[in-house]
Amino acid sequence: QVQLVESGGGSVQEGGSLTLSCAASGHFFNVKYMGWFRQAPGKEREAVASIIIPILDRTIYYENFVKGRFTISVDKARNTMWLQMNSLKPDDSAMYYCAASARAAFVPTDKDAYAYWGQGTQVTVSS
């Protein structure tokens, strides 16, 4: 089992920045990749960014709507993943979830590939 706890959400003005963190505990050695998803009220949960955990293969995936604005990173020694979010827009407002997968195949946008989820942290961007 892997436990995930997000933090760092909050309210910012449009154009502002936030850094989300996801602290993992438990059997983290089983985790192959991690990702950030978000869900706005009335909308489906959508992928934001994902990263492969093994150091020799830090493949990263970004959804087009965050490319150039968000940066995902991970520190395996600290079992922590971050999402640096810059140039935030009102459309970025959502509950942000951290997720972890033990699957070998990297399928970053498939919610079913992630067995472990955090409780979420709220991000609100006002115009």
Side-chain angles (χ1 to χ4, degrees), residues 64-94:
N64 286 335
F65 55 75
V66 301
K67 283 183 179 178
R69 300 189 299 126
F70 292 9
T71 302
I72 189 172
S73 60
V74 67
D75 185 336
K76 188 177 180 182
R78 295 170 60 184
N79 291 2
T80 303
M81 176 178 67
W82 293 273
L83 184 68
Q84 173 67 44
M85 305 187 294
N86 298 324
S87 302
L88 284 162
K89 307 173 183 179
D91 285 348
D92 293 319
S93 296

PDB file of all heavy atoms in Angstrom, residues 64-94:
ATOM      1  N   ASN A  64      -1.450  19.481 -22.809  1.00  0.00           N
ATOM      2  CA  ASN A  64      -1.144  20.693 -23.581  1.00  0.00           C
ATOM      3  C   ASN A  64      -1.508  21.975 -22.832  1.00  0.00           C
ATOM      4  O   ASN A  64      -0.815  22.988 -22.959  1.00  0.00           O
ATOM      5  CB  ASN A  64      -1.866  20.656 -24.919  1.00  0.00           C
ATOM      6  CG  ASN A  64      -1.232  19.669 -25.892  1.00  0.00           C
ATOM      7  OD1 ASN A  64      -0.055  19.350 -25.786  1.00  0.00           O
ATOM      8  ND2 ASN A  64      -2.023  19.175 -26.826  1.00  0.00           N
ATOM      9  N   PHE A  65      -2.587  21.932 -22.065  1.00  0.00           N
ATOM     10  CA  PHE A  65      -3.040  23.164 -21.433  1.00  0.00           C
ATOM     11  C   PHE A  65      -2.139  23.630 -20.288  1.00  0.00           C
ATOM     12  O   PHE A  65      -2.339  24.724 -19.751  1.00  0.00           O
ATOM     13  CB  PHE A  65      -4.493  23.053 -20.965  1.00  0.00           C
ATOM     14  CG  PHE A  65      -4.785  21.899 -20.046  1.00  0.00           C
ATOM     15  CD1 PHE A  65      -4.395  21.908 -18.722  1.00  0.00           C
ATOM     16  CD2 PHE A  65      -5.489  20.795 -20.520  1.00  0.00           C
ATOM     17  CE1 PHE A  65      -4.678  20.844 -17.891  1.00  0.00           C
ATOM     18  CE2 PHE A  65      -5.785  19.726 -19.694  1.00  0.00           C
ATOM     19  CZ  PHE A  65      -5.372  19.756 -18.367  1.00  0.00           C
ATOM     20  N   VAL A  66      -1.132  22.821 -19.891  1.00  0.00           N
ATOM     21  CA  VAL A  66      -0.216  23.269 -18.837  1.00  0.00           C
ATOM     22  C   VAL A  66       1.228  23.382 -19.318  1.00  0.00           C
ATOM     23  O   VAL A  66       2.099  23.835 -18.571  1.00  0.00           O
ATOM     24  CB  VAL A  66      -0.273  22.355 -17.592  1.00  0.00           C
ATOM     25  CG1 VAL A  66      -1.678  22.323 -17.029  1.00  0.00           C
ATOM     26  CG2 VAL A  66       0.250  20.961 -17.900  1.00  0.00           C
ATOM     27  N   LYS A  67       1.481  22.980 -20.556  1.00  0.00           N
ATOM     28  CA  LYS A  67       2.852  23.038 -21.065  1.00  0.00           C
ATOM     29  C   LYS A  67       3.370  24.468 -21.033  1.00  0.00           C
ATOM     30  O   LYS A  67       2.687  25.397 -21.450  1.00  0.00           O
ATOM     31  CB  LYS A  67       2.900  22.495 -22.495  1.00  0.00           C
ATOM     32  CG  LYS A  67       2.851  20.980 -22.568  1.00  0.00           C
ATOM     33  CD  LYS A  67       2.972  20.490 -23.999  1.00  0.00           C
ATOM     34  CE  LYS A  67       2.950  18.970 -24.060  1.00  0.00           C
ATOM     35  NZ  LYS A  67       3.017  18.471 -25.446  1.00  0.00           N
ATOM     36  N   GLY A  68       4.583  24.608 -20.495  1.00  0.00           N
ATOM     37  CA  GLY A  68       5.192  25.921 -20.399  1.00  0.00           C
ATOM     38  C   GLY A  68       4.811  26.684 -19.151  1.00  0.00           C
ATOM     39  O   GLY A  68       5.413  27.717 -18.848  1.00  0.00           O
ATOM     40  N   ARG A  69       3.814  26.190 -18.422  1.00  0.00           N
ATOM     41  CA  ARG A  69       3.373  26.891 -17.214  1.00  0.00           C
ATOM     42  C   ARG A  69       3.606  26.050 -15.957  1.00  0.00           C
ATOM     43  O   ARG A  69       3.934  26.586 -14.905  1.00  0.00           O
ATOM     44  CB  ARG A  69       1.887  27.234 -17.305  1.00  0.00           C
ATOM     45  CG  ARG A  69       1.527  28.129 -18.462  1.00  0.00           C
ATOM     46  CD  ARG A  69       0.078  28.607 -18.352  1.00  0.00           C
ATOM     47  NE  ARG A  69      -0.885  27.519 -18.368  1.00  0.00           N
ATOM     48  CZ  ARG A  69      -1.817  27.317 -17.443  1.00  0.00           C
ATOM     49  NH1 ARG A  69      -1.901  28.123 -16.398  1.00  0.00           N
ATOM     50  NH2 ARG A  69      -2.668  26.311 -17.550  1.00  0.00           N
ATOM     51  N   PHE A  70       3.417  24.749 -16.052  1.00  0.00           N
ATOM     52  CA  PHE A  70       3.557  23.853 -14.908  1.00  0.00           C
ATOM     53  C   PHE A  70       4.811  23.007 -15.068  1.00  0.00           C
ATOM     54  O   PHE A  70       5.194  22.648 -16.184  1.00  0.00           O
ATOM     55  CB  PHE A  70       2.360  22.909 -14.797  1.00  0.00           C
ATOM     56  CG  PHE A  70       1.052  23.563 -14.431  1.00  0.00           C
ATOM     57  CD1 PHE A  70       0.894  24.940 -14.390  1.00  0.00           C
ATOM     58  CD2 PHE A  70      -0.047  22.772 -14.109  1.00  0.00           C
ATOM     59  CE1 PHE A  70      -0.306  25.531 -14.062  1.00  0.00           C
ATOM     60  CE2 PHE A  70      -1.262  23.343 -13.772  1.00  0.00           C
ATOM     61  CZ  PHE A  70      -1.384  24.729 -13.751  1.00  0.00           C
ATOM     62  N   THR A  71       5.424  22.665 -13.923  1.00  0.00           N
ATOM     63  CA  THR A  71       6.590  21.794 -13.923  1.00  0.00           C
ATOM     64  C   THR A  71       6.410  20.722 -12.861  1.00  0.00           C
ATOM     65  O   THR A  71       6.184  21.047 -11.698  1.00  0.00           O
ATOM     66  CB  THR A  71       7.877  22.579 -13.640  1.00  0.00           C
ATOM     67  OG1 THR A  71       8.042  23.613 -14.618  1.00  0.00           O
ATOM     68  CG2 THR A  71       9.089  21.652 -13.682  1.00  0.00           C
ATOM     69  N   ILE A  72       6.526  19.468 -13.285  1.00  0.00           N
ATOM     70  CA  ILE A  72       6.427  18.350 -12.351  1.00  0.00           C
ATOM     71  C   ILE A  72       7.831  17.863 -12.017  1.00  0.00           C
ATOM     72  O   ILE A  72       8.712  17.855 -12.889  1.00  0.00           O
ATOM     73  CB  ILE A  72       5.571  17.203 -12.946  1.00  0.00           C
ATOM     74  CG1 ILE A  72       5.276  16.140 -11.892  1.00  0.00           C
ATOM     75  CG2 ILE A  72       6.224  16.619 -14.169  1.00  0.00           C
ATOM     76  CD1 ILE A  72       4.264  15.085 -12.372  1.00  0.00           C
ATOM     77  N   SER A  73       8.037  17.491 -10.775  1.00  0.00           N
ATOM     78  CA  SER A  73       9.340  16.966 -10.372  1.00  0.00           C
ATOM     79  C   SER A  73       9.137  15.986  -9.221  1.00  0.00           C
ATOM     80  O   SER A  73       8.088  15.971  -8.576  1.00  0.00           O
ATOM     81  CB  SER A  73      10.280  18.097  -9.958  1.00  0.00           C
ATOM     82  OG  SER A  73       9.750  18.813  -8.870  1.00  0.00           O
ATOM     83  N   VAL A  74      10.161  15.176  -8.994  1.00  0.00           N
ATOM     84  CA  VAL A  74      10.071  14.178  -7.929  1.00  0.00           C
ATOM     85  C   VAL A  74      11.429  13.989  -7.283  1.00  0.00           C
ATOM     86  O   VAL A  74      12.458  14.090  -7.948  1.00  0.00           O
ATOM     87  CB  VAL A  74       9.529  12.838  -8.473  1.00  0.00           C
ATOM     88  CG1 VAL A  74      10.512  12.211  -9.429  1.00  0.00           C
ATOM     89  CG2 VAL A  74       9.170  11.889  -7.344  1.00  0.00           C
ATOM     90  N   ASP A  75      11.421  13.756  -5.986  1.00  0.00           N
ATOM     91  CA  ASP A  75      12.621  13.418  -5.239  1.00  0.00           C
ATOM     92  C   ASP A  75      12.358  12.042  -4.634  1.00  0.00           C
ATOM     93  O   ASP A  75      11.666  11.931  -3.629  1.00  0.00           O
ATOM     94  CB  ASP A  75      12.888  14.465  -4.158  1.00  0.00           C
ATOM     95  CG  ASP A  75      14.199  14.219  -3.422  1.00  0.00           C
ATOM     96  OD1 ASP A  75      14.666  13.053  -3.404  1.00  0.00           O
ATOM     97  OD2 ASP A  75      14.743  15.175  -2.877  1.00  0.00           O
ATOM     98  N   LYS A  76      12.921  11.027  -5.271  1.00  0.00           N
ATOM     99  CA  LYS A  76      12.648   9.672  -4.819  1.00  0.00           C
ATOM    100  C   LYS A  76      13.171   9.437  -3.413  1.00  0.00           C
ATOM    101  O   LYS A  76      12.565   8.705  -2.624  1.00  0.00           O
ATOM    102  CB  LYS A  76      13.260   8.656  -5.789  1.00  0.00           C
ATOM    103  CG  LYS A  76      12.865   7.217  -5.487  1.00  0.00           C
ATOM    104  CD  LYS A  76      13.435   6.263  -6.500  1.00  0.00           C
ATOM    105  CE  LYS A  76      13.016   4.830  -6.184  1.00  0.00           C
ATOM    106  NZ  LYS A  76      13.602   3.868  -7.153  1.00  0.00           N
ATOM    107  N   ALA A  77      14.300  10.061  -3.067  1.00  0.00           N
ATOM    108  CA  ALA A  77      14.883   9.859  -1.738  1.00  0.00           C
ATOM    109  C   ALA A  77      13.964  10.403  -0.652  1.00  0.00           C
ATOM    110  O   ALA A  77      13.948   9.894   0.474  1.00  0.00           O
ATOM    111  CB  ALA A  77      16.242  10.530  -1.659  1.00  0.00           C
ATOM    112  N   ARG A  78      13.180  11.431  -1.002  1.00  0.00           N
ATOM    113  CA  ARG A  78      12.264  12.034  -0.032  1.00  0.00           C
ATOM    114  C   ARG A  78      10.823  11.574  -0.248  1.00  0.00           C
ATOM    115  O   ARG A  78       9.916  12.027   0.452  1.00  0.00           O
ATOM    116  CB  ARG A  78      12.344  13.555  -0.139  1.00  0.00           C
ATOM    117  CG  ARG A  78      13.701  14.125   0.251  1.00  0.00           C
ATOM    118  CD  ARG A  78      13.827  15.589  -0.101  1.00  0.00           C
ATOM    119  NE  ARG A  78      12.825  16.414   0.563  1.00  0.00           N
ATOM    120  CZ  ARG A  78      12.681  17.717   0.349  1.00  0.00           C
ATOM    121  NH1 ARG A  78      13.462  18.328  -0.515  1.00  0.00           N
ATOM    122  NH2 ARG A  78      11.757  18.407   1.002  1.00  0.00           N
ATOM    123  N   ASN A  79      10.636  10.686  -1.225  1.00  0.00           N
ATOM    124  CA  ASN A  79       9.291  10.181  -1.534  1.00  0.00           C
ATOM    125  C   ASN A  79       8.300  11.328  -1.736  1.00  0.00           C
ATOM    126  O   ASN A  79       7.166  11.281  -1.243  1.00  0.00           O
ATOM    127  CB  ASN A  79       8.776   9.269  -0.408  1.00  0.00           C
ATOM    128  CG  ASN A  79       9.536   7.961  -0.328  1.00  0.00           C
ATOM    129  OD1 ASN A  79      10.478   7.733  -1.087  1.00  0.00           O
ATOM    130  ND2 ASN A  79       9.135   7.106   0.586  1.00  0.00           N
ATOM    131  N   THR A  80       8.738  12.339  -2.444  1.00  0.00           N
ATOM    132  CA  THR A  80       7.903  13.531  -2.612  1.00  0.00           C
ATOM    133  C   THR A  80       7.876  13.962  -4.068  1.00  0.00           C
ATOM    134  O   THR A  80       8.894  13.926  -4.762  1.00  0.00           O
ATOM    135  CB  THR A  80       8.417  14.689  -1.741  1.00  0.00           C
ATOM    136  OG1 THR A  80       8.446  14.275  -0.376  1.00  0.00           O
ATOM    137  CG2 THR A  80       7.514  15.905  -1.871  1.00  0.00           C
ATOM    138  N   MET A  81       6.698  14.375  -4.500  1.00  0.00           N
ATOM    139  CA  MET A  81       6.512  14.899  -5.847  1.00  0.00           C
ATOM    140  C   MET A  81       5.965  16.315  -5.727  1.00  0.00           C
ATOM    141  O   MET A  81       5.229  16.624  -4.791  1.00  0.00           O
ATOM    142  CB  MET A  81       5.524  14.015  -6.622  1.00  0.00           C
ATOM    143  CG  MET A  81       5.191  14.515  -7.999  1.00  0.00           C
ATOM    144  SD  MET A  81       4.082  13.415  -8.902  1.00  0.00           S
ATOM    145  CE  MET A  81       2.576  13.546  -7.958  1.00  0.00           C
ATOM    146  N   TRP A  82       6.337  17.163  -6.680  1.00  0.00           N
ATOM    147  CA  TRP A  82       5.870  18.544  -6.670  1.00  0.00           C
ATOM    148  C   TRP A  82       5.218  18.908  -8.014  1.00  0.00           C
ATOM    149  O   TRP A  82       5.498  18.282  -9.043  1.00  0.00           O
ATOM    150  CB  TRP A  82       7.039  19.515  -6.434  1.00  0.00           C
ATOM    151  CG  TRP A  82       7.645  19.431  -5.091  1.00  0.00           C
ATOM    152  CD1 TRP A  82       7.257  20.096  -3.966  1.00  0.00           C
ATOM    153  CD2 TRP A  82       8.777  18.650  -4.709  1.00  0.00           C
ATOM    154  NE1 TRP A  82       8.073  19.768  -2.910  1.00  0.00           N
ATOM    155  CE2 TRP A  82       9.019  18.890  -3.342  1.00  0.00           C
ATOM    156  CE3 TRP A  82       9.597  17.761  -5.394  1.00  0.00           C
ATOM    157  CZ2 TRP A  82      10.052  18.280  -2.640  1.00  0.00           C
ATOM    158  CZ3 TRP A  82      10.631  17.141  -4.705  1.00  0.00           C
ATOM    159  CH2 TRP A  82      10.849  17.411  -3.349  1.00  0.00           C
ATOM    160  N   LEU A  83       4.414  19.933  -7.961  1.00  0.00           N
ATOM    161  CA  LEU A  83       3.884  20.523  -9.179  1.00  0.00           C
ATOM    162  C   LEU A  83       4.006  22.032  -9.021  1.00  0.00           C
ATOM    163  O   LEU A  83       3.260  22.644  -8.255  1.00  0.00           O
ATOM    164  CB  LEU A  83       2.429  20.123  -9.425  1.00  0.00           C
ATOM    165  CG  LEU A  83       1.843  20.622 -10.737  1.00  0.00           C
ATOM    166  CD1 LEU A  83       2.512  19.919 -11.930  1.00  0.00           C
ATOM    167  CD2 LEU A  83       0.329  20.401 -10.794  1.00  0.00           C
ATOM    168  N   GLN A  84       4.968  22.609  -9.718  1.00  0.00           N
ATOM    169  CA  GLN A  84       5.148  24.052  -9.722  1.00  0.00           C
ATOM    170  C   GLN A  84       4.210  24.633 -10.772  1.00  0.00           C
ATOM    171  O   GLN A  84       4.296  24.269 -11.946  1.00  0.00           O
ATOM    172  CB  GLN A  84       6.587  24.416 -10.043  1.00  0.00           C
ATOM    173  CG  GLN A  84       6.835  25.908 -10.243  1.00  0.00           C
ATOM    174  CD  GLN A  84       6.658  26.704  -8.965  1.00  0.00           C
ATOM    175  OE1 GLN A  84       7.122  26.293  -7.903  1.00  0.00           O
ATOM    176  NE2 GLN A  84       5.976  27.835  -9.046  1.00  0.00           N
ATOM    177  N   MET A  85       3.312  25.503 -10.338  1.00  0.00           N
ATOM    178  CA  MET A  85       2.314  26.054 -11.256  1.00  0.00           C
ATOM    179  C   MET A  85       2.517  27.556 -11.366  1.00  0.00           C
ATOM    180  O   MET A  85       2.395  28.284 -10.364  1.00  0.00           O
ATOM    181  CB  MET A  85       0.902  25.750 -10.742  1.00  0.00           C
ATOM    182  CG  MET A  85       0.654  24.267 -10.496  1.00  0.00           C
ATOM    183  SD  MET A  85      -1.061  23.907 -10.080  1.00  0.00           S
ATOM    184  CE  MET A  85      -1.199  24.743  -8.511  1.00  0.00           C
ATOM    185  N   ASN A  86       2.828  28.025 -12.556  1.00  0.00           N
ATOM    186  CA  ASN A  86       3.029  29.445 -12.821  1.00  0.00           C
ATOM    187  C   ASN A  86       1.977  29.946 -13.797  1.00  0.00           C
ATOM    188  O   ASN A  86       1.317  29.157 -14.472  1.00  0.00           O
ATOM    189  CB  ASN A  86       4.418  29.684 -13.395  1.00  0.00           C
ATOM    190  CG  ASN A  86       5.528  29.276 -12.442  1.00  0.00           C
ATOM    191  OD1 ASN A  86       5.422  29.438 -11.234  1.00  0.00           O
ATOM    192  ND2 ASN A  86       6.602  28.737 -12.999  1.00  0.00           N
ATOM    193  N   SER A  87       1.845  31.246 -13.880  1.00  0.00           N
ATOM    194  CA  SER A  87       0.903  31.877 -14.814  1.00  0.00           C
ATOM    195  C   SER A  87      -0.480  31.251 -14.700  1.00  0.00           C
ATOM    196  O   SER A  87      -1.105  30.894 -15.705  1.00  0.00           O
ATOM    197  CB  SER A  87       1.424  31.753 -16.246  1.00  0.00           C
ATOM    198  OG  SER A  87       2.699  32.334 -16.376  1.00  0.00           O
ATOM    199  N   LEU A  88      -0.949  31.131 -13.494  1.00  0.00           N
ATOM    200  CA  LEU A  88      -2.228  30.468 -13.257  1.00  0.00           C
ATOM    201  C   LEU A  88      -3.398  31.256 -13.841  1.00  0.00           C
ATOM    202  O   LEU A  88      -3.389  32.485 -13.869  1.00  0.00           O
ATOM    203  CB  LEU A  88      -2.437  30.240 -11.766  1.00  0.00           C
ATOM    204  CG  LEU A  88      -1.628  29.087 -11.186  1.00  0.00           C
ATOM    205  CD1 LEU A  88      -1.546  29.183  -9.676  1.00  0.00           C
ATOM    206  CD2 LEU A  88      -2.241  27.752 -11.595  1.00  0.00           C
ATOM    207  N   LYS A  89      -4.381  30.500 -14.326  1.00  0.00           N
ATOM    208  CA  LYS A  89      -5.568  31.078 -14.933  1.00  0.00           C
ATOM    209  C   LYS A  89      -6.803  30.619 -14.148  1.00  0.00           C
ATOM    210  O   LYS A  89      -6.763  29.584 -13.483  1.00  0.00           O
ATOM    211  CB  LYS A  89      -5.696  30.595 -16.381  1.00  0.00           C
ATOM    212  CG  LYS A  89      -4.474  30.802 -17.240  1.00  0.00           C
ATOM    213  CD  LYS A  89      -4.654  30.145 -18.603  1.00  0.00           C
ATOM    214  CE  LYS A  89      -3.411  30.281 -19.457  1.00  0.00           C
ATOM    215  NZ  LYS A  89      -3.569  29.621 -20.772  1.00  0.00           N
ATOM    216  N   PRO A  90      -7.889  31.356 -14.246  1.00  0.00           N
ATOM    217  CA  PRO A  90      -9.114  30.912 -13.574  1.00  0.00           C
ATOM    218  C   PRO A  90      -9.530  29.490 -13.965  1.00  0.00           C
ATOM    219  O   PRO A  90     -10.058  28.752 -13.131  1.00  0.00           O
ATOM    220  CB  PRO A  90     -10.148  31.949 -14.026  1.00  0.00           C
ATOM    221  CG  PRO A  90      -9.345  33.195 -14.231  1.00  0.00           C
ATOM    222  CD  PRO A  90      -8.031  32.710 -14.810  1.00  0.00           C
ATOM    223  N   ASP A  91      -9.266  29.104 -15.211  1.00  0.00           N
ATOM    224  CA  ASP A  91      -9.603  27.747 -15.654  1.00  0.00           C
ATOM    225  C   ASP A  91      -8.792  26.668 -14.950  1.00  0.00           C
ATOM    226  O   ASP A  91      -9.125  25.488 -15.032  1.00  0.00           O
ATOM    227  CB  ASP A  91      -9.385  27.614 -17.164  1.00  0.00           C
ATOM    228  CG  ASP A  91     -10.483  28.296 -17.970  1.00  0.00           C
ATOM    229  OD1 ASP A  91     -11.512  28.671 -17.365  1.00  0.00           O
ATOM    230  OD2 ASP A  91     -10.307  28.459 -19.189  1.00  0.00           O
ATOM    231  N   ASP A  92      -7.715  27.074 -14.273  1.00  0.00           N
ATOM    232  CA  ASP A  92      -6.923  26.096 -13.516  1.00  0.00           C
ATOM    233  C   ASP A  92      -7.547  25.772 -12.165  1.00  0.00           C
ATOM    234  O   ASP A  92      -7.069  24.873 -11.455  1.00  0.00           O
ATOM    235  CB  ASP A  92      -5.501  26.624 -13.294  1.00  0.00           C
ATOM    236  CG  ASP A  92      -4.712  26.746 -14.581  1.00  0.00           C
ATOM    237  OD1 ASP A  92      -4.817  25.844 -15.440  1.00  0.00           O
ATOM    238  OD2 ASP A  92      -3.993  27.755 -14.740  1.00  0.00           O
ATOM    239  N   SER A  93      -8.583  26.500 -11.789  1.00  0.00           N
ATOM    240  CA  SER A  93      -9.240  26.262 -10.500  1.00  0.00           C
ATOM    241  C   SER A  93      -9.850  24.865 -10.479  1.00  0.00           C
ATOM    242  O   SER A  93     -10.613  24.486 -11.372  1.00  0.00           O
ATOM    243  CB  SER A  93     -10.347  27.302 -10.274  1.00  0.00           C
ATOM    244  OG  SER A  93      -9.799  28.597 -10.183  1.00  0.00           O
ATOM    245  N   ALA A  94      -9.488  24.097  -9.473  1.00  0.00           N
ATOM    246  CA  ALA A  94      -9.955  22.712  -9.358  1.00  0.00           C
ATOM    247  C   ALA A  94      -9.391  22.091  -8.089  1.00  0.00           C
ATOM    248  O   ALA A  94      -8.512  22.675  -7.441  1.00  0.00           O
ATOM    249  CB  ALA A  94      -9.502  21.882 -10.561  1.00  0.00           C
TER     250      ALA A  94
END
